[in-house]
Amino acid sequence: MSAHEWLEQAPAYALGALNESDRASFDEHLNECEECRREVRALRDVAGLMALGTRPVEPPPRLRERILGDARRVRPLNARTGGAGGTGSNTIPFPVQPAMQPAPIPRAPTPITPMPTQSRAPGRAAPFGPWFAAAASLIAAAWLGVQYTRERDARQMMGRLQDRLQQQLVARDSTIASRDSMISALMSPNVETITLVATGRPPSGRMYLDRRSGRVTLAMFSLPPAPAGRTYQLWGLRAGGGNPVSMGTFNTRVDGTAVAVLPVPLGIAFAASAITEEPEGGSEQPTTTPFLVTTWKAD
Amino acid sequence: MALQPQDALAPDLSIIARIAAGDERALGELYDRYGRMAFSLAVSIVSDPADAEEVVADAFAQVWRSASMFDSDRGSVVAWMATIVRTRALDLLRAQRRRARVIERATVMTDDGESPALAPAPESTERGAEQSEAAALIRQSLASLPAPQRRVIELAYFGGLSQSEIAEQLSEPLGTVKTRMRAGMEKLRNVLRPLMEVNA
């Protein structure tokens, strides 16, 4: 699917209107396409605003209390002990509900029992010692809890980062492999270069034809992307006449350019090529007027 | 124009960060900001106010549990909230096997071409003048779409239908549905751009 076709799916994706398999493919594509991610973000925001435009209905006042009451019983994922301005940093107020909270959450550090009075220095009346010790223990325990949570958060973040990097590496590998293949096609000593030009006006293109290995690398310029549900198709015209032979389909990007490596059927002497616009998936035979009809004569 | 009357106090993102840190008061602030939007959206999908209450309670519980997973690269806070509420509401409908009735309702337009979900309230009960103004602009923008474009968008968003299901429902070719959806969303995006920039 061309970049243009992916972009066309973005509105349906943002509205949740793609079917299961299309959505899964689009999800995969989003991992490697910044342009589509930006598009989906903007369109999701549009959908979010639609929610603000629904007929206003006042919720019952008890709903707020219910939501906050529910929250008191469950801790958020990755919540750091003592959230900013939260319900207090000296307690962890939300008991964990295993059914709703699969990740293990460390419990509040057990408060240390104050030192028994017998341990005070004899004859010393100052009551601060035990309290100070208890407070220090609590602080130490809380600090340990914070460290533990931070470490766990950091590990989870590293895990997510690693996954994302792995996905980027796979995508990068695939891009490099495809470029390697293209470079080797262009560097072959058997390559002929053919220029495609309409008389004095765009679009234009260039073909790097390797008859021996049976492939042609096509570079197009100033050709607007085919409309939705349509594609471009390259045809080979036999030297002795007869029906055109399909060499495959391609589409241009939004900027009007495309680079495609297409197969040239072996054993047929082609004398020329042409391009047509066809329904998605291509046609058996051309159904529209061909353009960039070019004799295969090397530059 | 501001979508959030409390913009000056705290941007959405900082509220989400506080929720992720376990700050219960931040959850209250988020509810004060978007509770009514969430409830209105839930009612527009499930119809029954008692069901809508369940949906919104579930949605806020999800926000509370998973605020740390919020990724601002994927959309605004309001879009995230709306997605959670919508998904919960559609799940409830599917569980109750009431989806067909709701789709039928969503397909029926009022006399002036307005869909029930987006029709203005008979009597405004809105509190914040700014929110009211923003909501009015959004409704106006939706109303300005050609009816066929608005219909496919509403069937997708409020009815939870895929493009193929919409095509079947309206007896229209799939390609037509896709084109209308794209064109409608593009128009909405253009007219709502000022609000999106404020909300970013």
Side-chain angles (χ1 to χ4, degrees):
Chain A
M1 192 176 291
S2 69
H4 176 66
E5 286 165 323
W6 284 117
L7 269 180
E8 285 190 339
Q9 291 203 4
Y13 179 84
L15 283 171
L18 286 183
N19 65 36
E20 200 87 356
S21 64
D22 287 347
R23 194 179 59 228
S25 311
F26 199 89
D27 272 331
E28 272 180 33
H29 172 69
L30 282 181
N31 283 329
E32 56 199 43
C33 180
E34 174 61 30
E35 189 179 5
C36 283
R37 274 202 299 274
R38 269 203 310 272
E39 184 76 358
V40 164
R41 186 197 193 287
L43 290 166
R44 273 205 176 122
D45 286 351
V46 172
L49 287 177
M50 274 173 48
L52 283 175
T54 50
R55 182 209 301 257
V57 188
E58 207 63 43
R62 63 175 177 272
L63 184 52
R64 188 181 196 278
E65 279 319 300
R66 176 182 167 185
I67 286 168
L68 295 184
D70 288 348
R72 278 182 210 111
R73 289 192 292 278
V74 184
R75 286 194 60 213
L77 285 174
N78 297 334
R80 288 173 290 282
T81 47
T87 47
S89 57
N90 54 346
T91 56
I92 298 180
F94 313 122
V96 176
Q97 287 189 338
M100 303 185 71
Q101 181 65 74
I105 301 288
R107 294 299 190 130
T110 311
I112 307 292
T113 313
M115 288 162 72
T117 41
Q118 287 88 333
S119 67
R120 284 187 202 164
R124 194 172 163 191
F128 301 110
W131 289 108
F132 177 79
S137 303
L138 275 175
I139 290 167
W143 183 83
L144 283 173
V146 168
Q147 294 310 309
Y148 177 89
T149 315
R150 278 188 185 156
E151 260 181 47
R152 192 197 53 201
D153 287 353
R155 272 200 305 274
Q156 285 174 347
M157 192 185 291
M158 287 302 286
R160 284 200 295 270
L161 195 62
Q162 203 171 0
D163 287 349
R164 192 178 288 187
L165 285 173
Q166 189 63 38
Q167 285 167 359
Q168 285 175 352
L169 271 179
V170 170
R172 199 68 48 89
D173 280 353
S174 141
T175 310
I176 291 172
S178 119
R179 285 192 187 153
D180 278 353
S181 147
M182 197 176 295
I183 290 169
S184 79
L186 297 180
M187 295 297 283
S188 162
N190 309 310
V191 164
E192 302 163 41
T193 310
I194 297 164
T195 304
L196 312 176
V197 277
T199 42
R201 58 187 171 80
S204 65
R206 195 160 297 142
M207 291 201 300
Y208 303 90
L209 174 67
D210 187 343
R211 294 181 199 252
R212 194 169 300 178
S213 66
R215 60 186 170 181
V216 62
T217 305
L218 176 68
M220 292 301 307
F221 310 98
S222 308
L223 177 62
R230 310 280 294 174
T231 186
Y232 293 113
Q233 191 163 3
L234 178 69
W235 303 93
L237 309 175
R238 299 164 202 260
N243 287 340
V245 179
S246 172
M247 294 186 183
T249 60
F250 66 94
N251 206 346
T252 48
R253 289 183 283 261
V254 181
D255 65 358
T257 66
V259 178
V261 180
L262 300 172
V264 178
L266 295 170
I268 303 177
F270 290 107
S273 64
I275 295 170
T276 59
E277 185 197 302
E278 300 294 337
E280 205 164 13
S283 302
E284 290 286 315
Q285 283 297 305
T287 61
T288 61
T289 311
F291 59 99
L292 291 178
V293 181
T294 308
T295 308
W296 278 15
K297 185 182 164 195
D299 292 342
Chain B
M1 179 185 298
L3 277 178
Q4 308 127 0
Q6 300 172 57
D7 259 349
L9 296 179
D12 284 351
L13 274 180
S14 76
I15 293 187
I16 293 295
R18 283 166 54 212
I19 292 174
D23 182 349
E24 184 197 317
R25 279 185 305 187
L27 187 71
E29 284 174 38
L30 190 76
Y31 180 84
D32 294 339
R33 196 169 282 192
Y34 293 123
R36 195 161 53 116
M37 175 277 278
F39 191 71
S40 307
L41 174 59
V43 167
S44 72
I45 295 174
V46 300
S47 306
D48 178 37
D51 282 346
E53 206 174 319
E54 294 300 316
V55 165
V56 174
D58 276 356
F60 272 87
Q62 185 176 339
V63 167
W64 175 245
R65 287 197 308 275
S66 58
S68 61
M69 314 292 271
F70 173 73
D71 180 358
S72 59
D73 285 348
R74 301 190 64 188
S76 62
V77 171
V78 63
W80 183 57
M81 290 272 329
T83 303
I84 293 175
V85 171
R86 175 180 173 271
T87 307
R88 294 261 164 186
L90 290 171
D91 285 348
L92 183 76
L93 284 188
R94 287 186 188 109
Q96 295 177 339
R97 301 178 189 281
R98 289 198 295 123
R99 195 161 160 245
R101 190 158 62 81
V102 173
I103 291 165
E104 193 183 326
R105 191 174 61 89
T107 320
V108 177
M109 296 276 178
T110 54
D111 291 344
D112 55 358
E114 188 106 44
S115 77
L118 297 166
E123 169 181 325
S124 177
T125 53
E126 289 166 296
R127 286 177 300 202
E130 286 167 323
Q131 270 204 349
S132 162
E133 205 181 327
L137 174 69
I138 293 162
R139 278 196 291 275
Q140 202 182 329
S141 308
L142 279 157
S144 72
L145 290 182
Q149 289 178 10
R150 194 169 70 238
R151 201 175 219 193
V152 295
I153 290 175
E154 287 174 353
L155 280 170
Y157 193 72
F158 297 104
L161 266 64
S162 70
Q163 290 178 315
S164 326
E165 289 170 323
I166 295 171
E168 198 178 320
Q169 190 74 29
L170 300 179
S171 307
E172 299 272 10
L174 178 59
T176 307
V177 169
K178 287 182 176 177
T179 309
R180 285 178 185 165
M181 192 174 280
R182 274 199 306 272
M185 285 298 278
E186 203 46 48
K187 276 182 199 156
L188 274 184
R189 181 187 189 168
N190 285 332
V191 286
L192 296 178
R193 201 178 294 274
L195 289 182
M196 287 162 67
E197 279 158 11
V198 168
N199 203 37

